[in-house]
Amino acid sequence: MMNQIIAYFETLDPVLAAFYATLFTWGLTALGASLVFFFKKMNRMLFDGMLGFTGGVMVAASFWSLLAPGIEMSPGEGFEKTIPAVVGFGLGALFIFGLDKILPHLHVNFNTTEKEGIKTPWHKSILLVLAITLHNIPEGLAVGVLFGGAAAGFEGASIAGAVALAIGIGLQNFPEGFAVAMPLRGQGFSRRKSFNYGQLSAIVEPVAAVLGAWAVMTFQPILPYALSFAAGAMIFVVVEEVVPESQQSKYTDVSTLGFIGGFMVMMTLDVGLG
């Protein structure tokens, strides 16, 4: 089954392949958000474990799917070979840092007084959706860049690796949809409205994926930088948002074990398929 999926993606235009792959990740976000129709409240221990899982997947994907291939395909030897990875990684982190300072948002599990970005009277629900949307920008970009690099024939980038990355991101998107929808339900929103906001948080992924694939196909020499850029953006999100969100209650050990589990799952997917 998996071989058939990979073979199918190999026949597609890379931009279209990236779009389809991130429609899958968006769909799993919607599936997670749909839990709001079946549960009245959120189990905090399970929620923190899923947040930890999300962080583990993102960290593992940053290395196995992005940084390692980016370094492998970089020219030169020794320190020279790491230059694209270092530059791209730093720029990716700075990009999300800039968005974090500008885009109004509120992290899950934080009080309204702890909202970030420019001051705005926007409702807490909008700020929660924007926070998860910020998570999803580097994820969509990473999938698109990897599909573009594989199609361009760069050593270290493969369609199988891109599919593995999409599967891993999809798995951790499931709790992200849940993470938006359930708190909104707790604030008094209807189930339908909570679901709509939850799934909407991932709409940016197909857009970022298409842009990433197009950029790499058009400007092929930027691929090592682009892979590392996506990795830096993802690591920034994990350290600045995902991990702190998972450490706000008494279930810190559960979230830590979730992180380890997510790392193991993503590493297995990437090495096994890529």
Side-chain angles (χ1 to χ4, degrees):
M1 178 65 176
M2 187 56 64
N3 289 337
Q4 292 174 328
I5 293 174
I6 293 170
Y8 171 71
F9 274 99
E10 288 174 342
T11 67
L12 297 176
D13 175 85
V15 175
L16 188 60
F19 179 70
Y20 285 167
T22 45
L23 283 183
F24 164 77
T25 63
W26 182 15
L28 284 182
T29 305
L31 188 62
S34 71
L35 294 178
V36 75
F37 292 109
F38 306 100
F39 296 95
K40 292 183 177 180
K41 61 180 181 179
M42 182 169 54
N43 183 299
R44 186 56 187 267
M45 183 173 70
L46 176 62
F47 180 68
D48 286 347
M50 290 194 298
L51 275 179
F53 182 87
T54 293
V57 168
M58 293 177 73
V59 169
S62 296
F63 176 74
W64 296 101
S65 300
L66 302 171
L67 272 178
I71 293 172
E72 183 179 343
M73 66 183 63
S74 297
E77 298 292 336
F79 287 111
E80 182 183 357
K81 196 172 182 65
T82 68
I83 291 175
V86 170
V87 172
F89 191 87
L91 289 176
L94 287 174
F95 172 71
I96 299 298
F97 172 79
L99 287 181
D100 190 67
K101 295 302 179 186
I102 296 172
L103 185 68
H105 62 284
L106 176 67
H107 300 317
V108 179
N109 293 334
F110 280 68
N111 296 322
T112 306
T113 56
E114 299 175 277
K115 60 186 179 182
E116 299 180 7
I118 60 175
K119 294 186 181 300
T120 174
W122 292 351
H123 193 274
K124 182 179 179 180
S125 59
I126 300 297
L127 298 177
L128 282 170
V129 173
L130 289 176
I132 301 297
T133 301
L134 194 63
H135 288 195
N136 290 329
I137 292 173
E139 294 168 6
L141 182 64
V143 173
V145 165
L146 204 51
F147 269 109
F154 279 88
E155 184 179 357
S158 68
I159 296 297
V163 169
L165 179 61
I167 292 172
I169 288 176
L171 289 175
Q172 60 94 31
N173 273 6
F174 181 83
E176 283 190 355
F178 183 71
V180 176
M182 290 305 294
L184 295 182
R185 178 60 180 159
Q187 292 177 37
F189 282 73
S190 69
R191 295 182 190 275
R192 183 177 294 277
K193 199 166 187 178
S194 298
F195 166 77
N196 286 336
Y197 275 127
Q199 61 84 25
L200 189 63
S201 65
I203 198 171
V204 71
E205 286 192 3
V207 177
V210 166
L211 289 175
W214 172 83
V216 168
M217 293 296 295
T218 306
F219 309 103
Q220 293 188 13
I222 72 169
L223 180 59
Y225 296 91
L227 288 170
S228 303
F229 181 97
M234 288 178 72
I235 292 296
F236 184 93
V237 167
V238 172
V239 176
E240 206 274 338
E241 299 187 18
V242 178
V243 171
E245 288 167 9
S246 71
Q247 301 291 308
Q248 295 296 306
S249 74
K250 62 182 179 180
Y251 300 113
T252 56
D253 288 345
V254 175
S255 64
T256 301
L257 290 173
F259 184 99
I260 298 298
F263 189 98
M264 292 167 63
V265 167
M266 187 65 232
M267 178 178 64
T268 302
L269 282 171
D270 194 271
V271 175
L273 294 178

